[in-house]
Amino acid sequence: MGTTQLESAQEPKYWHLKTVLSEALDSEFSVGEILPNERDLAARFGVARATLRQALEQLELEGRLQRRRGVGTTVAPPRVGVSVGTTAQAWPGAADDSWGGLDGAEAVPPTAVARALGTADGEQVHTVRRSRIFAGRPVAAELLYIPAASVPGLPAIDTPTGALRARAVLRELQRSTLQGQDRSVELGSVGADDARELDRLPGAPVLVVTTRFYAGDRTAAVSVATYRADTCRLTFGDSGGVEIHQDPERHAS
Amino acid sequence: MGTTQLESAQEPKYWHLKTVLSEALDSEFSVGEILPNERDLAARFGVARATLRQALEQLELEGRLQRRRGVGTTVAPPRVGVSVGTTAQAWPGAADDSWGGLDGAEAVPPTAVARALGTADGEQVHTVRRSRIFAGRPVAAELLYIPAASVPGLPAIDTPTGALRARAVLRELQRSTLQGQDRSVELGSVGADDARELDRLPGAPVLVVTTRFYAGDRTAAVSVATYRADTCRLTFGDSGGVEIHQDPERHAS
DNA sequence: AAGTGGTCTAGACCACCGG
DNA sequence: CGGTGGTCTAGACCACTTC
């Protein structure tokens, strides 16, 4: 029995469902409100739960919904505009309170990073982990790689790991003259490690921002930051910038 | 790629499967090679097809695989680094051969865009559609909004739509002095319209780059570009930049 | 026509959260 | 404990591409 027969040509059910739900979210729900549970929703629309879930997944990907196991599905607030521009915010070691959870250590970087840093394969570098907080919520997890050559004046460190060590490395890095940076953004999925830090399940989509800091013709440090793709909009504005809150789906018609 | 029996606490099957497949891709397959079909793969790993598909979806999201209905699943080439920096490439109207498929028209922009442009609600603006080509493949679809005030010297246009009209608008826009731009990047899913242009199915993940061009304190134009998230890595380098080809999954261990 | 990935179903059980 | 979303199954049919 075809429910709505006139329309849809051969549009997939989950796609049509997503559209219907999206419109309902705009008109009948407010931010933070809890939706009916998946089994009820599926029954109401006359589809299998898996199909309903496919629609919800899309909406979550677009930042419209937030789902939490054991709790329910809620209407998500608009995406947060997070600056990753050439601001003091993003500069490692700069005075800055939007980053937290500092932790330092020493480790062998992935070969791709080692090549960019110009370090020998298997050579240890300083690493600093930190997480970016916005409105009380973690939005990003960053891993900085700093070769020993970039922090020549680093005093003897007695703590092998921890926030103290991280702060010492950052302080010393800041003293060296960072002259510029290359950045790239791509889609990734969060690993088990960062997942906990970002309060998401493994596999959740993230925007991976890879930054190469250079001083002279040398790469002074490499940062790999993973931003929650569902809640973040990365802004690269040179100035404050006007907000253009666009629905991430559909751009023409 | 045998059925390794490593115990995994309570790691989901699809997650473990993804890891196994990922390693197999690195060691036993080369770019462009076709994988066995989903039914065979599922049988080989002793899981349901839906579970196998969940793993493949993740790998496709990370740009490791490419799936085409009616054809099969192939190993994807590394992501393409697409420059969206302050280069002549990205400047609308600049001499530039990486954009194609020009089409111009006049339309009422979405309210969010209209607010940024400072045009009245319901006021028509010039629009230019174009698609970005890289290595023969479409990687992005862009929609430019240009208010009439930004192209005062625009000659009378007899063609209501088409490439000619688009070129005329871009040429005139280029004559005005664009002074800067704000940019933001977020995750979205491609609509039915752009999907065809990007050779993807509707709902495929895209990186939505919203750019506001301004001249003086006025917004001269707004561009909404959707890049294929599976095949693209957006680069913002001020210089050419060193390639850091990082596996988009897992960044620490 | 044969083979591929894409959609959909109707169930089941599990992990997590709250009272 | 009950309710939520997360995982998984074993099937079915469809849309598309290729031969």
Side-chain angles (χ1 to χ4, degrees):
Chain A
M1 71 154 188
T3 48
T4 52
Q5 208 62 329
L6 304 178
E7 266 324 304
S8 73
Q10 60 242 41
E11 194 176 46
K13 271 189 191 177
Y14 79 90
W15 186 262
H16 181 243
L17 202 52
K18 176 198 140 186
T19 308
V20 172
L21 284 170
S22 182
E23 286 163 2
L25 288 181
D26 288 333
S27 60
E28 302 172 31
F29 288 89
S30 50
V31 170
E33 201 167 341
I34 329 175
L35 267 65
N37 72 54
E38 298 183 347
R39 290 162 180 86
D40 285 354
L41 275 180
R44 181 176 317 188
F45 286 103
V47 300
R49 193 179 153 218
T51 305
L52 186 268
R53 276 179 63 79
Q54 216 172 338
L56 293 185
E57 256 154 48
Q58 283 260 341
L59 290 170
E60 192 180 26
L61 199 79
E62 292 170 9
R64 309 278 320 262
L65 291 180
Q66 193 159 357
R67 298 191 286 174
R68 304 181 85 97
R69 167 153 49 175
V71 180
T73 303
T74 59
V75 181
R79 281 198 178 126
V80 163
V82 182
S83 169
V84 289
T86 320
T87 73
Q89 298 271 29
W91 215 255
D96 168 34
D97 56 356
S98 74
W99 291 92
L102 270 176
D103 189 15
E106 208 160 19
V108 177
T111 57
V113 172
R115 197 161 43 243
L117 290 173
T119 60
D121 208 33
E123 182 180 338
Q124 281 203 329
V125 302
H126 299 288
T127 66
V128 173
R129 266 195 166 283
R130 54 181 186 175
S131 54
R132 189 161 177 176
I133 312 290
F134 199 101
R137 301 278 182 197
V139 294
E142 186 194 37
L143 188 50
L144 265 168
Y145 298 95
I146 305 112
S150 295
V151 283
L154 192 68
I157 305 178
D158 40 1
T159 52
T161 170
L164 257 61
R165 181 197 182 92
R167 247 182 282 272
V169 172
L170 285 180
R171 202 182 320 118
E172 198 57 30
L173 177 64
Q174 194 184 3
R175 292 184 49 188
S176 78
T177 51
L178 298 179
Q179 292 175 330
Q181 52 194 43
D182 282 328
R183 216 182 265 108
S184 81
V185 178
E186 63 185 313
L187 180 59
S189 55
V190 73
D193 44 356
D194 289 333
R196 237 187 337 278
E197 201 164 346
L198 294 179
D199 190 26
R200 300 248 56 198
L201 289 176
V206 285
L207 297 172
V208 181
V209 182
T210 307
T211 310
R212 189 176 69 93
F213 297 94
Y214 50 87
D217 55 353
R218 210 173 44 76
T219 299
V222 165
S223 148
V224 178
T226 66
Y227 287 81
R228 285 184 56 153
D230 55 342
T231 59
C232 292
R233 196 182 76 251
L234 307 183
T235 64
F236 290 82
D238 301 327
S239 67
V242 171
E243 302 277 313
I244 303 181
H245 252 128
Q246 175 115 6
D247 190 345
E249 111 186 85
R250 304 227 54 194
H251 304 104
S253 67
Chain B
M1 92 173 139
T3 56
T4 50
Q5 198 57 348
L6 286 185
E7 252 342 288
S8 46
Q10 60 244 40
E11 195 176 44
K13 270 189 191 176
Y14 80 90
W15 186 262
H16 181 243
L17 202 52
K18 177 198 140 187
T19 308
V20 172
L21 284 169
S22 182
E23 287 163 2
L25 288 181
D26 289 332
S27 59
E28 303 173 31
F29 289 89
S30 50
V31 169
E33 201 167 342
I34 332 175
L35 266 64
N37 72 54
E38 298 182 348
R39 291 161 179 87
D40 285 355
L41 275 180
R44 182 176 319 189
F45 287 105
V47 299
R49 193 178 154 219
T51 305
L52 185 269
R53 277 180 62 80
Q54 216 173 336
L56 293 184
E57 256 154 48
Q58 283 262 339
L59 291 170
E60 191 180 28
L61 199 79
E62 293 170 10
R64 309 281 317 264
L65 291 179
Q66 191 159 355
R67 298 191 285 174
R68 303 181 84 99
R69 168 155 44 177
V71 180
T73 302
T74 58
V75 181
R79 282 200 177 123
V80 163
V82 182
S83 169
V84 287
T86 320
T87 74
Q89 298 269 29
W91 215 255
D96 168 32
D97 55 355
S98 74
W99 291 93
L102 269 177
D103 188 16
E106 207 160 20
V108 177
T111 57
V113 173
R115 197 162 42 242
L117 289 175
T119 60
D121 207 33
E123 182 180 337
Q124 281 203 329
V125 301
H126 299 288
T127 65
V128 173
R129 267 197 165 283
R130 55 179 186 176
S131 54
R132 190 160 177 177
I133 311 289
F134 199 102
R137 301 279 182 197
V139 294
E142 187 195 38
L143 188 50
L144 265 169
Y145 299 95
I146 305 113
S150 295
V151 284
L154 192 68
I157 304 178
D158 41 2
T159 50
T161 170
L164 256 60
R165 183 197 180 90
R167 247 182 282 273
V169 172
L170 285 180
R171 202 181 321 117
E172 198 56 31
L173 176 64
Q174 193 182 4
R175 291 183 49 187
S176 78
T177 50
L178 297 180
Q179 293 175 329
Q181 51 194 42
D182 282 329
R183 224 187 315 262
S184 82
V185 178
E186 64 185 313
L187 180 60
S189 55
V190 73
D193 44 355
D194 289 333
R196 237 186 339 277
E197 201 164 345
L198 295 179
D199 189 25
R200 300 248 56 199
L201 289 176
V206 285
L207 297 171
V208 181
V209 182
T210 307
T211 311
R212 189 176 68 93
F213 297 94
Y214 51 87
D217 55 353
R218 210 173 43 77
T219 299
V222 165
S223 148
V224 179
T226 66
Y227 287 81
R228 285 184 55 154
D230 55 342
T231 59
C232 292
R233 196 182 74 251
L234 307 183
T235 64
F236 290 83
D238 302 325
S239 66
V242 171
E243 301 277 314
I244 303 182
H245 251 126
Q246 176 115 4
D247 189 344
E249 105 184 273
R250 305 227 53 194
H251 305 105
S253 58

